[in-house]
Amino acid sequence: MRPILILMLALAPNLSAAADPLGPPLNAEQFDQRTVGRTITYSIFGQPYGSEQYKPGHKVIWAFTESECKEGDWYQDGQYICFDYGEYAPLQCWTFYDTAKGLVAQFKGDPSQEPLVSLSESHDPLICQGPDVGV
């Protein structure tokens, strides 16, 4: 009986790592360090989904692919990074992970939903579509 217990204890760290293959979620400080000054394009199922420009002071500009840009703010709420775009969209909260493939974002409340994965990163500003361009 004792060898089985020792074997179970030895395997326990590996089991917990397998349960969370993405690693620990980013907190606000880590997320800010990882994103500020960058424009990141995210994909879902390998297809472009949208892009977000991360500015100092927890400010962001988001655009779904081929849509107008929306300005907002982000903040940490527990393990989530939440984005507030005011009247433009409901509050969006995500768990972010920094992986070898790039940032991975899992939407709050639906862990079975396909995550967003960073497709590309740039230090260039987001190019915005819509009626207020150049104004």
Side-chain angles (χ1 to χ4, degrees):
M1 182 70 138
R2 186 174 210 142
I4 292 173
L5 179 60
I6 292 170
L7 180 62
M8 288 174 57
L9 290 173
L11 292 176
N14 294 334
L15 293 174
S16 65
D20 192 3
L22 297 174
L26 297 178
N27 63 31
E29 181 180 342
Q30 294 165 326
F31 182 75
D32 197 45
Q33 289 175 353
R34 177 66 177 79
T35 59
V36 75
R38 292 182 175 93
T39 298
I40 300 177
T41 298
Y42 292 94
S43 65
I44 189 165
F45 297 111
Q47 298 298 312
Y49 180 76
S51 298
E52 189 141 51
Q53 179 181 349
Y54 299 92
K55 302 170 96 177
H58 296 194
K59 303 288 184 191
V60 293
I61 301 173
W62 168 262
F64 287 104
T65 302
E66 303 297 325
S67 73
E68 294 179 26
C69 292
K70 308 296 183 212
E71 293 186 20
D73 301 284
W74 67 266
Y75 62 90
Q76 182 175 349
D77 182 13
Q79 73 176 23
Y80 300 103
I81 303 295
C82 297
F83 297 86
D84 184 355
Y85 302 100
E87 64 188 54
Y88 298 114
L91 188 66
Q92 302 281 314
C93 294
W94 304 79
T95 304
F96 281 87
Y97 303 91
D98 196 4
T99 72
K101 293 182 179 183
L103 281 180
V104 173
Q106 185 67 54
F107 190 66
K108 178 182 181 180
D110 190 357
S112 66
Q113 180 179 344
E114 185 71 18
L116 298 182
V117 179
S118 59
L119 185 61
S120 66
E121 295 188 26
S122 168
H123 290 285
D124 296 331
L126 184 61
I127 297 173
C128 295
Q129 310 284 324
D132 296 330
V133 174
V135 177

mmCIF file with all atom_site columns, all heavy atoms in Angstrom, residues 69-92:
data_model
loop_
_atom_site.group_PDB
_atom_site.id
_atom_site.type_symbol
_atom_site.label_atom_id
_atom_site.label_alt_id
_atom_site.label_comp_id
_atom_site.label_asym_id
_atom_site.label_entity_id
_atom_site.label_seq_id
_atom_site.pdbx_PDB_ins_code
_atom_site.Cartn_x
_atom_site.Cartn_y
_atom_site.Cartn_z
_atom_site.occupancy
_atom_site.B_iso_or_equiv
_atom_site.pdbx_formal_charge
_atom_site.auth_seq_id
_atom_site.auth_comp_id
_atom_site.auth_asym_id
_atom_site.auth_atom_id
_atom_site.pdbx_PDB_model_num
ATOM 1   N N   . CYS A 1 69 ? -13.448 50.887 -35.014 1.00 0.00 ? 69 CYS A N   1
ATOM 2   C CA  . CYS A 1 69 ? -12.707 50.778 -33.763 1.00 0.00 ? 69 CYS A CA  1
ATOM 3   C C   . CYS A 1 69 ? -13.543 51.291 -32.592 1.00 0.00 ? 69 CYS A C   1
ATOM 4   O O   . CYS A 1 69 ? -14.336 52.225 -32.745 1.00 0.00 ? 69 CYS A O   1
ATOM 5   C CB  . CYS A 1 69 ? -11.426 51.593 -33.837 1.00 0.00 ? 69 CYS A CB  1
ATOM 6   S SG  . CYS A 1 69 ? -10.223 50.940 -35.002 1.00 0.00 ? 69 CYS A SG  1
ATOM 7   N N   . LYS A 1 70 ? -13.349 50.660 -31.456 1.00 0.00 ? 70 LYS A N   1
ATOM 8   C CA  . LYS A 1 70 ? -14.023 51.052 -30.215 1.00 0.00 ? 70 LYS A CA  1
ATOM 9   C C   . LYS A 1 70 ? -12.952 51.279 -29.151 1.00 0.00 ? 70 LYS A C   1
ATOM 10  O O   . LYS A 1 70 ? -12.093 50.424 -28.935 1.00 0.00 ? 70 LYS A O   1
ATOM 11  C CB  . LYS A 1 70 ? -14.979 49.956 -29.729 1.00 0.00 ? 70 LYS A CB  1
ATOM 12  C CG  . LYS A 1 70 ? -15.968 49.471 -30.768 1.00 0.00 ? 70 LYS A CG  1
ATOM 13  C CD  . LYS A 1 70 ? -16.919 50.550 -31.186 1.00 0.00 ? 70 LYS A CD  1
ATOM 14  C CE  . LYS A 1 70 ? -17.936 49.996 -32.175 1.00 0.00 ? 70 LYS A CE  1
ATOM 15  N NZ  . LYS A 1 70 ? -18.365 50.946 -33.134 1.00 0.00 ? 70 LYS A NZ  1
ATOM 16  N N   . GLU A 1 71 ? -13.003 52.436 -28.496 1.00 0.00 ? 71 GLU A N   1
ATOM 17  C CA  . GLU A 1 71 ? -12.053 52.739 -27.433 1.00 0.00 ? 71 GLU A CA  1
ATOM 18  C C   . GLU A 1 71 ? -12.608 52.254 -26.104 1.00 0.00 ? 71 GLU A C   1
ATOM 19  O O   . GLU A 1 71 ? -13.817 52.297 -25.876 1.00 0.00 ? 71 GLU A O   1
ATOM 20  C CB  . GLU A 1 71 ? -11.777 54.235 -27.383 1.00 0.00 ? 71 GLU A CB  1
ATOM 21  C CG  . GLU A 1 71 ? -11.043 54.730 -28.606 1.00 0.00 ? 71 GLU A CG  1
ATOM 22  C CD  . GLU A 1 71 ? -10.639 56.181 -28.500 1.00 0.00 ? 71 GLU A CD  1
ATOM 23  O OE1 . GLU A 1 71 ? -10.575 56.725 -27.374 1.00 0.00 ? 71 GLU A OE1 1
ATOM 24  O OE2 . GLU A 1 71 ? -10.377 56.783 -29.558 1.00 0.00 ? 71 GLU A OE2 1
ATOM 25  N N   . GLY A 1 72 ? -11.714 51.810 -25.244 1.00 0.00 ? 72 GLY A N   1
ATOM 26  C CA  . GLY A 1 72 ? -12.140 51.333 -23.942 1.00 0.00 ? 72 GLY A CA  1
ATOM 27  C C   . GLY A 1 72 ? -11.016 51.318 -22.935 1.00 0.00 ? 72 GLY A C   1
ATOM 28  O O   . GLY A 1 72 ? -9.921  51.842 -23.178 1.00 0.00 ? 72 GLY A O   1
ATOM 29  N N   . ASP A 1 73 ? -11.322 50.737 -21.795 1.00 0.00 ? 73 ASP A N   1
ATOM 30  C CA  . ASP A 1 73 ? -10.388 50.579 -20.689 1.00 0.00 ? 73 ASP A CA  1
ATOM 31  C C   . ASP A 1 73 ? -10.409 49.120 -20.259 1.00 0.00 ? 73 ASP A C   1
ATOM 32  O O   . ASP A 1 73 ? -11.386 48.416 -20.503 1.00 0.00 ? 73 ASP A O   1
ATOM 33  C CB  . ASP A 1 73 ? -10.831 51.418 -19.478 1.00 0.00 ? 73 ASP A CB  1
ATOM 34  C CG  . ASP A 1 73 ? -10.937 52.886 -19.804 1.00 0.00 ? 73 ASP A CG  1
ATOM 35  O OD1 . ASP A 1 73 ? -9.896  53.531 -19.908 1.00 0.00 ? 73 ASP A OD1 1
ATOM 36  O OD2 . ASP A 1 73 ? -12.079 53.382 -19.957 1.00 0.00 ? 73 ASP A OD2 1
ATOM 37  N N   . TRP A 1 74 ? -9.341  48.701 -19.570 1.00 0.00 ? 74 TRP A N   1
ATOM 38  C CA  . TRP A 1 74 ? -9.345  47.358 -19.005 1.00 0.00 ? 74 TRP A CA  1
ATOM 39  C C   . TRP A 1 74 ? -8.922  47.424 -17.541 1.00 0.00 ? 74 TRP A C   1
ATOM 40  O O   . TRP A 1 74 ? -8.275  48.374 -17.113 1.00 0.00 ? 74 TRP A O   1
ATOM 41  C CB  . TRP A 1 74 ? -8.472  46.399 -19.807 1.00 0.00 ? 74 TRP A CB  1
ATOM 42  C CG  . TRP A 1 74 ? -6.989  46.666 -19.778 1.00 0.00 ? 74 TRP A CG  1
ATOM 43  C CD1 . TRP A 1 74 ? -6.273  47.396 -20.681 1.00 0.00 ? 74 TRP A CD1 1
ATOM 44  C CD2 . TRP A 1 74 ? -6.044  46.198 -18.801 1.00 0.00 ? 74 TRP A CD2 1
ATOM 45  N NE1 . TRP A 1 74 ? -4.954  47.409 -20.327 1.00 0.00 ? 74 TRP A NE1 1
ATOM 46  C CE2 . TRP A 1 74 ? -4.789  46.677 -19.177 1.00 0.00 ? 74 TRP A CE2 1
ATOM 47  C CE3 . TRP A 1 74 ? -6.153  45.422 -17.651 1.00 0.00 ? 74 TRP A CE3 1
ATOM 48  C CZ2 . TRP A 1 74 ? -3.632  46.408 -18.445 1.00 0.00 ? 74 TRP A CZ2 1
ATOM 49  C CZ3 . TRP A 1 74 ? -5.011  45.157 -16.914 1.00 0.00 ? 74 TRP A CZ3 1
ATOM 50  C CH2 . TRP A 1 74 ? -3.766  45.641 -17.320 1.00 0.00 ? 74 TRP A CH2 1
ATOM 51  N N   . TYR A 1 75 ? -9.327  46.404 -16.799 1.00 0.00 ? 75 TYR A N   1
ATOM 52  C CA  . TYR A 1 75 ? -8.959  46.290 -15.388 1.00 0.00 ? 75 TYR A CA  1
ATOM 53  C C   . TYR A 1 75 ? -8.983  44.813 -14.998 1.00 0.00 ? 75 TYR A C   1
ATOM 54  O O   . TYR A 1 75 ? -9.582  43.985 -15.679 1.00 0.00 ? 75 TYR A O   1
ATOM 55  C CB  . TYR A 1 75 ? -9.906  47.102 -14.495 1.00 0.00 ? 75 TYR A CB  1
ATOM 56  C CG  . TYR A 1 75 ? -11.338 46.654 -14.555 1.00 0.00 ? 75 TYR A CG  1
ATOM 57  C CD1 . TYR A 1 75 ? -11.830 45.688 -13.680 1.00 0.00 ? 75 TYR A CD1 1
ATOM 58  C CD2 . TYR A 1 75 ? -12.224 47.180 -15.497 1.00 0.00 ? 75 TYR A CD2 1
ATOM 59  C CE1 . TYR A 1 75 ? -13.150 45.265 -13.743 1.00 0.00 ? 75 TYR A CE1 1
ATOM 60  C CE2 . TYR A 1 75 ? -13.535 46.764 -15.570 1.00 0.00 ? 75 TYR A CE2 1
ATOM 61  C CZ  . TYR A 1 75 ? -13.993 45.811 -14.687 1.00 0.00 ? 75 TYR A CZ  1
ATOM 62  O OH  . TYR A 1 75 ? -15.296 45.390 -14.758 1.00 0.00 ? 75 TYR A OH  1
ATOM 63  N N   . GLN A 1 76 ? -8.312  44.517 -13.893 1.00 0.00 ? 76 GLN A N   1
ATOM 64  C CA  . GLN A 1 76 ? -8.301  43.146 -13.389 1.00 0.00 ? 76 GLN A CA  1
ATOM 65  C C   . GLN A 1 76 ? -9.452  42.948 -12.417 1.00 0.00 ? 76 GLN A C   1
ATOM 66  O O   . GLN A 1 76 ? -9.729  43.799 -11.576 1.00 0.00 ? 76 GLN A O   1
ATOM 67  C CB  . GLN A 1 76 ? -6.978  42.842 -12.679 1.00 0.00 ? 76 GLN A CB  1
ATOM 68  C CG  . GLN A 1 76 ? -6.903  41.410 -12.182 1.00 0.00 ? 76 GLN A CG  1
ATOM 69  C CD  . GLN A 1 76 ? -5.543  41.056 -11.579 1.00 0.00 ? 76 GLN A CD  1
ATOM 70  O OE1 . GLN A 1 76 ? -4.580  41.792 -11.701 1.00 0.00 ? 76 GLN A OE1 1
ATOM 71  N NE2 . GLN A 1 76 ? -5.480  39.898 -10.936 1.00 0.00 ? 76 GLN A NE2 1
ATOM 72  N N   . ASP A 1 77 ? -10.113 41.800 -12.539 1.00 0.00 ? 77 ASP A N   1
ATOM 73  C CA  . ASP A 1 77 ? -11.169 41.385 -11.612 1.00 0.00 ? 77 ASP A CA  1
ATOM 74  C C   . ASP A 1 77 ? -10.909 39.913 -11.297 1.00 0.00 ? 77 ASP A C   1
ATOM 75  O O   . ASP A 1 77 ? -11.269 39.036 -12.084 1.00 0.00 ? 77 ASP A O   1
ATOM 76  C CB  . ASP A 1 77 ? -12.543 41.578 -12.249 1.00 0.00 ? 77 ASP A CB  1
ATOM 77  C CG  . ASP A 1 77 ? -13.681 41.211 -11.304 1.00 0.00 ? 77 ASP A CG  1
ATOM 78  O OD1 . ASP A 1 77 ? -13.434 41.046 -10.091 1.00 0.00 ? 77 ASP A OD1 1
ATOM 79  O OD2 . ASP A 1 77 ? -14.818 41.069 -11.785 1.00 0.00 ? 77 ASP A OD2 1
ATOM 80  N N   . GLY A 1 78 ? -10.242 39.644 -10.178 1.00 0.00 ? 78 GLY A N   1
ATOM 81  C CA  . GLY A 1 78 ? -9.843  38.280 -9.852  1.00 0.00 ? 78 GLY A CA  1
ATOM 82  C C   . GLY A 1 78 ? -8.831  37.798 -10.868 1.00 0.00 ? 78 GLY A C   1
ATOM 83  O O   . GLY A 1 78 ? -7.850  38.481 -11.151 1.00 0.00 ? 78 GLY A O   1
ATOM 84  N N   . GLN A 1 79 ? -9.081  36.636 -11.463 1.00 0.00 ? 79 GLN A N   1
ATOM 85  C CA  . GLN A 1 79 ? -8.159  36.106 -12.473 1.00 0.00 ? 79 GLN A CA  1
ATOM 86  C C   . GLN A 1 79 ? -8.453  36.648 -13.866 1.00 0.00 ? 79 GLN A C   1
ATOM 87  O O   . GLN A 1 79 ? -7.771  36.308 -14.824 1.00 0.00 ? 79 GLN A O   1
ATOM 88  C CB  . GLN A 1 79 ? -8.209  34.583 -12.499 1.00 0.00 ? 79 GLN A CB  1
ATOM 89  C CG  . GLN A 1 79 ? -9.475  34.016 -13.115 1.00 0.00 ? 79 GLN A CG  1
ATOM 90  C CD  . GLN A 1 79 ? -9.449  32.500 -13.202 1.00 0.00 ? 79 GLN A CD  1
ATOM 91  O OE1 . GLN A 1 79 ? -8.741  31.842 -12.474 1.00 0.00 ? 79 GLN A OE1 1
ATOM 92  N NE2 . GLN A 1 79 ? -10.238 31.955 -14.108 1.00 0.00 ? 79 GLN A NE2 1
ATOM 93  N N   . TYR A 1 80 ? -9.449  37.496 -13.973 1.00 0.00 ? 80 TYR A N   1
ATOM 94  C CA  . TYR A 1 80 ? -9.881  37.978 -15.285 1.00 0.00 ? 80 TYR A CA  1
ATOM 95  C C   . TYR A 1 80 ? -9.348  39.373 -15.590 1.00 0.00 ? 80 TYR A C   1
ATOM 96  O O   . TYR A 1 80 ? -9.185  40.198 -14.705 1.00 0.00 ? 80 TYR A O   1
ATOM 97  C CB  . TYR A 1 80 ? -11.414 38.020 -15.364 1.00 0.00 ? 80 TYR A CB  1
ATOM 98  C CG  . TYR A 1 80 ? -12.032 36.673 -15.158 1.00 0.00 ? 80 TYR A CG  1
ATOM 99  C CD1 . TYR A 1 80 ? -12.615 36.338 -13.948 1.00 0.00 ? 80 TYR A CD1 1
ATOM 100 C CD2 . TYR A 1 80 ? -11.999 35.712 -16.165 1.00 0.00 ? 80 TYR A CD2 1
ATOM 101 C CE1 . TYR A 1 80 ? -13.166 35.079 -13.743 1.00 0.00 ? 80 TYR A CE1 1
ATOM 102 C CE2 . TYR A 1 80 ? -12.544 34.460 -15.976 1.00 0.00 ? 80 TYR A CE2 1
ATOM 103 C CZ  . TYR A 1 80 ? -13.127 34.154 -14.762 1.00 0.00 ? 80 TYR A CZ  1
ATOM 104 O OH  . TYR A 1 80 ? -13.663 32.907 -14.559 1.00 0.00 ? 80 TYR A OH  1
ATOM 105 N N   . ILE A 1 81 ? -9.134  39.620 -16.878 1.00 0.00 ? 81 ILE A N   1
ATOM 106 C CA  . ILE A 1 81 ? -8.871  40.954 -17.399 1.00 0.00 ? 81 ILE A CA  1
ATOM 107 C C   . ILE A 1 81 ? -10.159 41.354 -18.106 1.00 0.00 ? 81 ILE A C   1
ATOM 108 O O   . ILE A 1 81 ? -10.602 40.677 -19.046 1.00 0.00 ? 81 ILE A O   1
ATOM 109 C CB  . ILE A 1 81 ? -7.677  40.960 -18.376 1.00 0.00 ? 81 ILE A CB  1
ATOM 110 C CG1 . ILE A 1 81 ? -6.408  40.413 -17.706 1.00 0.00 ? 81 ILE A CG1 1
ATOM 111 C CG2 . ILE A 1 81 ? -7.461  42.354 -18.949 1.00 0.00 ? 81 ILE A CG2 1
ATOM 112 C CD1 . ILE A 1 81 ? -5.859  41.230 -16.557 1.00 0.00 ? 81 ILE A CD1 1
ATOM 113 N N   . CYS A 1 82 ? -10.782 42.427 -17.622 1.00 0.00 ? 82 CYS A N   1
ATOM 114 C CA  . CYS A 1 82 ? -12.096 42.842 -18.134 1.00 0.00 ? 82 CYS A CA  1
ATOM 115 C C   . CYS A 1 82 ? -11.950 44.113 -18.958 1.00 0.00 ? 82 CYS A C   1
ATOM 116 O O   . CYS A 1 82 ? -11.218 45.032 -18.579 1.00 0.00 ? 82 CYS A O   1
ATOM 117 C CB  . CYS A 1 82 ? -13.054 43.077 -16.976 1.00 0.00 ? 82 CYS A CB  1
ATOM 118 S SG  . CYS A 1 82 ? -13.379 41.584 -16.007 1.00 0.00 ? 82 CYS A SG  1
ATOM 119 N N   . PHE A 1 83 ? -12.679 44.152 -20.071 1.00 0.00 ? 83 PHE A N   1
ATOM 120 C CA  . PHE A 1 83 ? -12.640 45.272 -20.991 1.00 0.00 ? 83 PHE A CA  1
ATOM 121 C C   . PHE A 1 83 ? -13.990 45.965 -21.005 1.00 0.00 ? 83 PHE A C   1
ATOM 122 O O   . PHE A 1 83 ? -15.019 45.320 -21.178 1.00 0.00 ? 83 PHE A O   1
ATOM 123 C CB  . PHE A 1 83 ? -12.297 44.777 -22.401 1.00 0.00 ? 83 PHE A CB  1
ATOM 124 C CG  . PHE A 1 83 ? -10.929 44.160 -22.476 1.00 0.00 ? 83 PHE A CG  1
ATOM 125 C CD1 . PHE A 1 83 ? -10.747 42.825 -22.159 1.00 0.00 ? 83 PHE A CD1 1
ATOM 126 C CD2 . PHE A 1 83 ? -9.831  44.923 -22.825 1.00 0.00 ? 83 PHE A CD2 1
ATOM 127 C CE1 . PHE A 1 83 ? -9.489  42.249 -22.213 1.00 0.00 ? 83 PHE A CE1 1
ATOM 128 C CE2 . PHE A 1 83 ? -8.570  44.350 -22.876 1.00 0.00 ? 83 PHE A CE2 1
ATOM 129 C CZ  . PHE A 1 83 ? -8.390  43.021 -22.568 1.00 0.00 ? 83 PHE A CZ  1
ATOM 130 N N   . ASP A 1 84 ? -13.948 47.287 -20.837 1.00 0.00 ? 84 ASP A N   1
ATOM 131 C CA  . ASP A 1 84 ? -15.158 48.097 -20.809 1.00 0.00 ? 84 ASP A CA  1
ATOM 132 C C   . ASP A 1 84 ? -15.096 49.076 -21.973 1.00 0.00 ? 84 ASP A C   1
ATOM 133 O O   . ASP A 1 84 ? -14.246 49.966 -22.006 1.00 0.00 ? 84 ASP A O   1
ATOM 134 C CB  . ASP A 1 84 ? -15.245 48.848 -19.480 1.00 0.00 ? 84 ASP A CB  1
ATOM 135 C CG  . ASP A 1 84 ? -16.514 49.642 -19.317 1.00 0.00 ? 84 ASP A CG  1
ATOM 136 O OD1 . ASP A 1 84 ? -17.323 49.720 -20.267 1.00 0.00 ? 84 ASP A OD1 1
ATOM 137 O OD2 . ASP A 1 84 ? -16.707 50.206 -18.226 1.00 0.00 ? 84 ASP A OD2 1
ATOM 138 N N   . TYR A 1 85 ? -15.998 48.903 -22.943 1.00 0.00 ? 85 TYR A N   1
ATOM 139 C CA  . TYR A 1 85 ? -16.079 49.766 -24.108 1.00 0.00 ? 85 TYR A CA  1
ATOM 140 C C   . TYR A 1 85 ? -17.293 50.692 -24.027 1.00 0.00 ? 85 TYR A C   1
ATOM 141 O O   . TYR A 1 85 ? -17.766 51.185 -25.045 1.00 0.00 ? 85 TYR A O   1
ATOM 142 C CB  . TYR A 1 85 ? -16.142 48.930 -25.395 1.00 0.00 ? 85 TYR A CB  1
ATOM 143 C CG  . TYR A 1 85 ? -14.957 48.018 -25.555 1.00 0.00 ? 85 TYR A CG  1
ATOM 144 C CD1 . TYR A 1 85 ? -15.045 46.673 -25.223 1.00 0.00 ? 85 TYR A CD1 1
ATOM 145 C CD2 . TYR A 1 85 ? -13.738 48.505 -26.005 1.00 0.00 ? 85 TYR A CD2 1
ATOM 146 C CE1 . TYR A 1 85 ? -13.953 45.828 -25.351 1.00 0.00 ? 85 TYR A CE1 1
ATOM 147 C CE2 . TYR A 1 85 ? -12.642 47.668 -26.137 1.00 0.00 ? 85 TYR A CE2 1
ATOM 148 C CZ  . TYR A 1 85 ? -12.761 46.339 -25.805 1.00 0.00 ? 85 TYR A CZ  1
ATOM 149 O OH  . TYR A 1 85 ? -11.682 45.496 -25.926 1.00 0.00 ? 85 TYR A OH  1
ATOM 150 N N   . GLY A 1 86 ? -17.803 50.894 -22.813 1.00 0.00 ? 86 GLY A N   1
ATOM 151 C CA  . GLY A 1 86 ? -18.939 51.781 -22.616 1.00 0.00 ? 86 GLY A CA  1
ATOM 152 C C   . GLY A 1 86 ? -20.180 51.278 -23.318 1.00 0.00 ? 86 GLY A C   1
ATOM 153 O O   . GLY A 1 86 ? -20.505 50.095 -23.260 1.00 0.00 ? 86 GLY A O   1
ATOM 154 N N   . GLU A 1 87 ? -20.840 52.162 -24.017 1.00 0.00 ? 87 GLU A N   1
ATOM 155 C CA  . GLU A 1 87 ? -22.104 51.823 -24.683 1.00 0.00 ? 87 GLU A CA  1
ATOM 156 C C   . GLU A 1 87 ? -21.916 50.929 -25.905 1.00 0.00 ? 87 GLU A C   1
ATOM 157 O O   . GLU A 1 87 ? -22.879 50.397 -26.439 1.00 0.00 ? 87 GLU A O   1
ATOM 158 C CB  . GLU A 1 87 ? -22.819 53.112 -25.109 1.00 0.00 ? 87 GLU A CB  1
ATOM 159 C CG  . GLU A 1 87 ? -22.042 53.890 -26.151 1.00 0.00 ? 87 GLU A CG  1
ATOM 160 C CD  . GLU A 1 87 ? -22.634 55.257 -26.445 1.00 0.00 ? 87 GLU A CD  1
ATOM 161 O OE1 . GLU A 1 87 ? -22.825 56.032 -25.505 1.00 0.00 ? 87 GLU A OE1 1
ATOM 162 O OE2 . GLU A 1 87 ? -22.888 55.520 -27.635 1.00 0.00 ? 87 GLU A OE2 1
ATOM 163 N N   . TYR A 1 88 ? -20.691 50.763 -26.371 1.00 0.00 ? 88 TYR A N   1
ATOM 164 C CA  . TYR A 1 88 ? -20.448 50.022 -27.602 1.00 0.00 ? 88 TYR A CA  1
ATOM 165 C C   . TYR A 1 88 ? -20.581 48.512 -27.456 1.00 0.00 ? 88 TYR A C   1
ATOM 166 O O   . TYR A 1 88 ? -20.850 47.811 -28.423 1.00 0.00 ? 88 TYR A O   1
ATOM 167 C CB  . TYR A 1 88 ? -19.057 50.342 -28.159 1.00 0.00 ? 88 TYR A CB  1
ATOM 168 C CG  . TYR A 1 88 ? -18.902 51.788 -28.513 1.00 0.00 ? 88 TYR A CG  1
ATOM 169 C CD1 . TYR A 1 88 ? -18.016 52.585 -27.811 1.00 0.00 ? 88 TYR A CD1 1
ATOM 170 C CD2 . TYR A 1 88 ? -19.645 52.361 -29.530 1.00 0.00 ? 88 TYR A CD2 1
ATOM 171 C CE1 . TYR A 1 88 ? -17.866 53.926 -28.131 1.00 0.00 ? 88 TYR A CE1 1
ATOM 172 C CE2 . TYR A 1 88 ? -19.505 53.697 -29.854 1.00 0.00 ? 88 TYR A CE2 1
ATOM 173 C CZ  . TYR A 1 88 ? -18.609 54.480 -29.154 1.00 0.00 ? 88 TYR A CZ  1
ATOM 174 O OH  . TYR A 1 88 ? -18.473 55.789 -29.459 1.00 0.00 ? 88 TYR A OH  1
ATOM 175 N N   . ALA A 1 89 ? -20.349 47.993 -26.258 1.00 0.00 ? 89 ALA A N   1
ATOM 176 C CA  . ALA A 1 89 ? -20.369 46.535 -26.083 1.00 0.00 ? 89 ALA A CA  1
ATOM 177 C C   . ALA A 1 89 ? -20.533 46.210 -24.607 1.00 0.00 ? 89 ALA A C   1
ATOM 178 O O   . ALA A 1 89 ? -20.130 46.995 -23.748 1.00 0.00 ? 89 ALA A O   1
ATOM 179 C CB  . ALA A 1 89 ? -19.077 45.921 -26.609 1.00 0.00 ? 89 ALA A CB  1
ATOM 180 N N   . PRO A 1 90 ? -21.104 45.058 -24.296 1.00 0.00 ? 90 PRO A N   1
ATOM 181 C CA  . PRO A 1 90 ? -21.178 44.644 -22.895 1.00 0.00 ? 90 PRO A CA  1
ATOM 182 C C   . PRO A 1 90 ? -19.776 44.368 -22.357 1.00 0.00 ? 90 PRO A C   1
ATOM 183 O O   . PRO A 1 90 ? -18.838 44.133 -23.124 1.00 0.00 ? 90 PRO A O   1
ATOM 184 C CB  . PRO A 1 90 ? -22.019 43.364 -22.931 1.00 0.00 ? 90 PRO A CB  1
ATOM 185 C CG  . PRO A 1 90 ? -21.952 42.886 -24.339 1.00 0.00 ? 90 PRO A CG  1
ATOM 186 C CD  . PRO A 1 90 ? -21.693 44.078 -25.208 1.00 0.00 ? 90 PRO A CD  1
ATOM 187 N N   . LEU A 1 91 ? -19.634 44.407 -21.050 1.00 0.00 ? 91 LEU A N   1
ATOM 188 C CA  . LEU A 1 91 ? -18.371 44.119 -20.392 1.00 0.00 ? 91 LEU A CA  1
ATOM 189 C C   . LEU A 1 91 ? -17.861 42.753 -20.843 1.00 0.00 ? 91 LEU A C   1
ATOM 190 O O   . LEU A 1 91 ? -18.624 41.781 -20.887 1.00 0.00 ? 91 LEU A O   1
ATOM 191 C CB  . LEU A 1 91 ? -18.568 44.143 -18.871 1.00 0.00 ? 91 LEU A CB  1
ATOM 192 C CG  . LEU A 1 91 ? -17.318 44.044 -18.024 1.00 0.00 ? 91 LEU A CG  1
ATOM 193 C CD1 . LEU A 1 91 ? -16.434 45.277 -18.217 1.00 0.00 ? 91 LEU A CD1 1
ATOM 194 C CD2 . LEU A 1 91 ? -17.695 43.912 -16.555 1.00 0.00 ? 91 LEU A CD2 1
ATOM 195 N N   . GLN A 1 92 ? -16.592 42.674 -21.204 1.00 0.00 ? 92 GLN A N   1
ATOM 196 C CA  . GLN A 1 92 ? -15.967 41.442 -21.682 1.00 0.00 ? 92 GLN A CA  1
ATOM 197 C C   . GLN A 1 92 ? -14.830 41.072 -20.728 1.00 0.00 ? 92 GLN A C   1
ATOM 198 O O   . GLN A 1 92 ? -13.898 41.854 -20.561 1.00 0.00 ? 92 GLN A O   1
ATOM 199 C CB  . GLN A 1 92 ? -15.367 41.655 -23.081 1.00 0.00 ? 92 GLN A CB  1
ATOM 200 C CG  . GLN A 1 92 ? -16.362 42.100 -24.119 1.00 0.00 ? 92 GLN A CG  1
ATOM 201 C CD  . GLN A 1 92 ? -17.183 40.950 -24.629 1.00 0.00 ? 92 GLN A CD  1
ATOM 202 O OE1 . GLN A 1 92 ? -16.656 39.887 -24.938 1.00 0.00 ? 92 GLN A OE1 1
ATOM 203 N NE2 . GLN A 1 92 ? -18.474 41.152 -24.725 1.00 0.00 ? 92 GLN A NE2 1
#
